Coordinates of all heavy atoms in Angstrom, one line a residue:
L1 N 241.2 148.0 261.7 CA 242.2 148.5 260.8 C 242.6 147.4 259.7 O 242.6 146.3 260.0 CB 243.5 148.9 261.5 CG 243.3 149.9 262.7 CD1 244.6 150.3 263.3 CD2 242.5 151.1 262.3
S2 N 242.8 147.9 258.5 CA 243.2 147.0 257.5 C 244.5 147.5 256.9 O 244.8 148.7 256.8 CB 242.2 147.0 256.4 OG 240.9 146.5 256.8
C3 N 245.3 146.6 256.4 CA 246.6 146.9 255.8 C 246.8 146.0 254.6 O 247.0 144.8 254.8 CB 247.7 146.7 256.8 SG 249.4 147.0 256.1
A4 N 246.6 146.5 253.4 CA 246.6 145.7 252.2 C 247.9 145.9 251.4 O 248.3 147.0 251.1 CB 245.5 146.0 251.3
A5 N 248.6 144.8 251.1 CA 249.8 144.9 250.3 C 249.4 144.9 248.8 O 248.6 144.1 248.3 CB 250.7 143.7 250.6
S6 N 250.1 145.8 248.1 CA 249.8 145.9 246.6 C 250.5 144.8 245.9 O 251.5 144.1 246.4 CB 250.2 147.2 246.1 OG 251.6 147.4 246.3
G7 N 250.1 144.6 244.6 CA 250.8 143.7 243.8 C 250.2 142.3 243.8 O 249.2 142.0 244.5
S8 N 250.6 141.5 242.9 CA 250.1 140.1 242.8 C 251.3 139.1 243.1 O 252.4 139.5 243.2 CB 249.6 139.8 241.4 OG 250.6 140.0 240.4
S9 N 250.9 137.9 243.3 CA 251.8 136.8 243.6 C 252.7 137.2 244.8 O 253.9 137.0 244.8 CB 252.7 136.5 242.4 OG 251.9 136.1 241.3
L10 N 252.1 137.7 245.8 CA 252.8 138.1 247.0 C 252.7 137.0 248.1 O 251.7 136.3 248.1 CB 252.3 139.4 247.6 CG 252.3 140.6 246.7 CD1 251.7 141.8 247.4 CD2 253.7 140.9 246.2
R11 N 253.6 137.0 248.9 CA 253.6 136.1 250.1 C 253.9 136.9 251.3 O 255.0 137.5 251.4 CB 254.6 134.9 249.9 CG 254.5 133.9 251.0 CD 255.0 132.5 250.5 NE 256.4 132.6 250.2 CZ 257.4 131.9 251.0 NH1 257.0 131.2 252.0 NH2 258.6 132.0 250.6
L12 N 253.1 136.8 252.3 CA 253.3 137.5 253.5 C 254.0 136.7 254.5 O 253.7 135.5 254.7 CB 251.9 137.9 254.1 CG 251.0 138.9 253.4 CD1 249.8 139.1 254.2 CD2 251.8 140.2 253.2
G13 N 255.0 137.3 255.1 CA 255.7 136.6 256.2 C 255.2 137.1 257.5 O 254.0 137.2 257.7
G14 N 256.1 137.5 258.4 CA 255.6 138.1 259.6 C 255.0 139.4 259.4 O 255.4 140.2 258.6
V15 N 253.9 139.7 260.2 CA 253.2 140.9 260.1 C 253.0 141.5 261.5 O 253.1 140.7 262.5 CB 251.8 140.8 259.5 CG1 252.0 140.3 258.0 CG2 250.9 139.8 260.2
A16 N 252.8 142.8 261.6 CA 252.7 143.4 262.9 C 252.0 144.7 262.8 O 252.0 145.4 261.8 CB 254.1 143.6 263.6
W17 N 251.5 145.2 263.9 CA 250.9 146.5 264.1 C 251.7 147.2 265.2 O 251.9 146.7 266.3 CB 249.4 146.5 264.4 CG 248.6 146.1 263.3 CD1 248.1 144.8 263.0 CD2 248.0 146.9 262.3 NE1 247.3 144.8 261.9 CE2 247.2 146.1 261.4 CE3 248.1 148.3 262.1 CZ2 246.6 146.7 260.3 CZ3 247.4 148.8 261.0 CH2 246.7 148.0 260.1
Y18 N 252.0 148.5 264.9 CA 252.7 149.3 265.8 C 251.8 150.6 266.0 O 250.9 150.9 265.2 CB 254.1 149.8 265.4 CG 255.1 148.6 265.3 CD1 255.1 147.7 264.3 CD2 256.0 148.5 266.3 CE1 256.0 146.7 264.2 CE2 257.0 147.5 266.2 CZ 257.0 146.6 265.2 OH 257.9 145.6 265.1
R19 N 252.0 151.3 267.1 CA 251.4 152.6 267.2 C 252.3 153.6 267.9 O 253.3 153.2 268.6 CB 250.1 152.4 268.1 CG 250.3 152.1 269.5 CD 249.0 151.9 270.3 NE 249.2 151.7 271.7 CZ 248.2 151.3 272.5 NH1 247.0 151.1 272.0 NH2 248.4 151.2 273.8
Q20 N 252.0 154.8 267.6 CA 252.9 155.9 268.2 C 252.0 157.1 268.5 O 251.3 157.7 267.6 CB 254.0 156.3 267.2 CG 254.9 157.3 267.8 CD 256.2 157.5 266.9 OE1 256.1 157.3 265.7 NE2 257.3 157.9 267.5
A21 N 252.0 157.5 269.7 CA 251.3 158.7 270.2 C 252.2 159.9 270.1 O 253.4 159.7 270.2 CB 250.7 158.5 271.6
P22 N 251.7 161.1 270.0 CA 252.5 162.3 270.0 C 253.4 162.3 271.2 O 253.0 162.2 272.4 CB 251.5 163.4 270.0 CG 250.3 162.9 269.4 CD 250.2 161.4 269.9
G23 N 254.7 162.5 271.0 CA 255.7 162.6 272.1 C 256.1 161.3 272.7 O 256.8 161.2 273.6
K24 N 255.5 160.2 272.1 CA 255.8 158.9 272.6 C 256.6 158.1 271.6 O 256.6 158.4 270.4 CB 254.6 158.1 273.0 CG 253.7 158.8 274.0 CD 254.3 158.8 275.4 CE 253.3 159.2 276.5 NZ 252.7 160.6 276.2
E25 N 257.3 157.0 272.1 CA 258.0 156.1 271.2 C 257.0 155.2 270.6 O 256.0 154.8 271.1 CB 259.1 155.4 272.0 CG 260.2 156.3 272.5 CD 261.3 155.5 273.1 OE1 261.2 154.2 273.3 OE2 262.4 156.1 273.4
R26 N 257.4 154.7 269.4 CA 256.6 153.7 268.7 C 256.6 152.4 269.5 O 257.7 152.0 270.0 CB 257.1 153.5 267.3 CG 256.2 152.6 266.5 CD 256.7 152.5 265.0 NE 256.5 153.8 264.4 CZ 256.7 154.0 263.1 NH1 257.1 153.0 262.3 NH2 256.6 155.2 262.6
E27 N 255.5 151.7 269.7 CA 255.4 150.5 270.4 C 254.7 149.4 269.6 O 253.8 149.8 268.8 CB 254.8 150.7 271.8 CG 253.3 151.1 271.7 CD 252.6 151.2 273.0 OE1 253.0 150.4 273.9 OE2 251.7 152.0 273.2
V28 N 255.1 148.2 269.8 CA 254.4 147.1 269.1 C 253.1 146.8 269.8 O 253.0 146.8 271.0 CB 255.3 145.9 269.1 CG1 255.6 145.3 270.5 CG2 254.6 144.8 268.2
V29 N 252.0 146.6 269.0 CA 250.7 146.3 269.5 C 250.4 144.8 269.4 O 249.9 144.2 270.3 CB 249.6 147.1 268.7 CG1 248.2 146.7 269.2 CG2 249.9 148.6 268.9
A30 N 250.7 144.3 268.2 CA 250.5 142.9 268.0 C 251.3 142.4 266.8 O 251.7 143.2 265.9 CB 249.0 142.6 267.7
S31 N 251.7 141.2 266.9 CA 252.5 140.6 265.8 C 252.0 139.2 265.5 O 251.5 138.5 266.4 CB 254.0 140.7 266.1 OG 254.3 139.8 267.2
M32 N 252.2 138.8 264.3 CA 251.9 137.4 263.9 C 252.9 136.9 262.9 O 253.3 137.5 261.9 CB 250.5 137.4 263.2 CG 250.1 136.0 262.7 SD 248.5 135.9 261.8 CE 247.4 136.1 263.2
G33 N 253.4 135.7 263.2 CA 254.4 135.0 262.3 C 253.7 134.4 261.1 O 252.4 134.4 261.0
M34 N 254.5 133.9 260.2 CA 253.9 133.4 259.0 C 252.9 132.3 259.2 O 252.0 132.1 258.5 CB 255.1 132.9 258.1 CG 254.7 132.3 256.8 SD 256.0 131.7 255.8 CE 256.9 133.3 255.5
F35 N 253.2 131.5 260.3 CA 252.3 130.3 260.5 C 251.3 130.6 261.7 O 250.8 129.6 262.2 CB 253.2 129.1 260.8 CG 254.1 128.8 259.7 CD1 255.5 129.1 259.7 CD2 253.6 128.2 258.5 CE1 256.3 128.8 258.7 CE2 254.5 127.9 257.4 CZ 255.8 128.2 257.5
G36 N 251.1 131.8 262.0 CA 250.0 132.1 262.9 C 250.3 132.3 264.3 O 249.4 132.5 265.2
N37 N 251.6 132.2 264.7 CA 252.0 132.5 266.1 C 251.8 134.0 266.4 O 252.3 134.8 265.6 CB 253.4 132.0 266.3 CG 254.4 132.5 265.3 OD1 254.2 132.2 264.1 ND2 255.4 133.3 265.7
V38 N 251.1 134.3 267.4 CA 250.7 135.6 267.7 C 251.3 136.1 269.1 O 251.3 135.3 270.0 CB 249.2 135.7 267.8 CG1 248.8 137.1 268.2 CG2 248.6 135.4 266.4
N39 N 251.7 137.3 269.1 CA 252.1 138.0 270.3 C 251.4 139.3 270.4 O 251.3 140.1 269.4 CB 253.6 138.2 270.4 CG 254.3 136.9 270.6 OD1 254.4 136.3 271.7 ND2 254.9 136.3 269.6
Y40 N 251.0 139.7 271.6 CA 250.4 141.0 271.8 C 251.1 141.8 272.9 O 251.7 141.2 273.8 CB 248.9 140.8 272.3 CG 248.0 140.2 271.3 CD1 247.7 138.9 271.3 CD2 247.4 141.0 270.3 CE1 246.8 138.3 270.4 CE2 246.6 140.5 269.4 CZ 246.3 139.2 269.4 OH 245.4 138.6 268.5
G41 N 251.1 143.1 272.7 CA 251.6 144.0 273.7 C 250.6 143.9 274.9 O 249.5 143.6 274.8

């Protein structure tokens, strides 16, 4: 999966992926801080 931010001169901070199945609550799949620290569900 890809997620591209529009615009120029952008700076990304923390990023994350979530998912939601029908009838289920949204849950975090993975996250990454600005400096590369990663957490996974």
Side-chain angles (χ1 to χ4, degrees):
L1 306 183
S2 298
C3 176
S6 65
S8 60
S9 300
L10 303 178
R11 185 157 67 109
L12 296 179
V15 298
W17 287 94
Y18 294 78
R19 70 185 184 189
Q20 187 169 25
K24 303 292 194 299
E25 294 185 352
R26 185 174 298 187
E27 63 175 329
V28 62
V29 177
S31 63
M32 176 184 287
M34 181 181 296
F35 301 104
N37 49 301
V38 175
N39 288 285
Y40 292 99

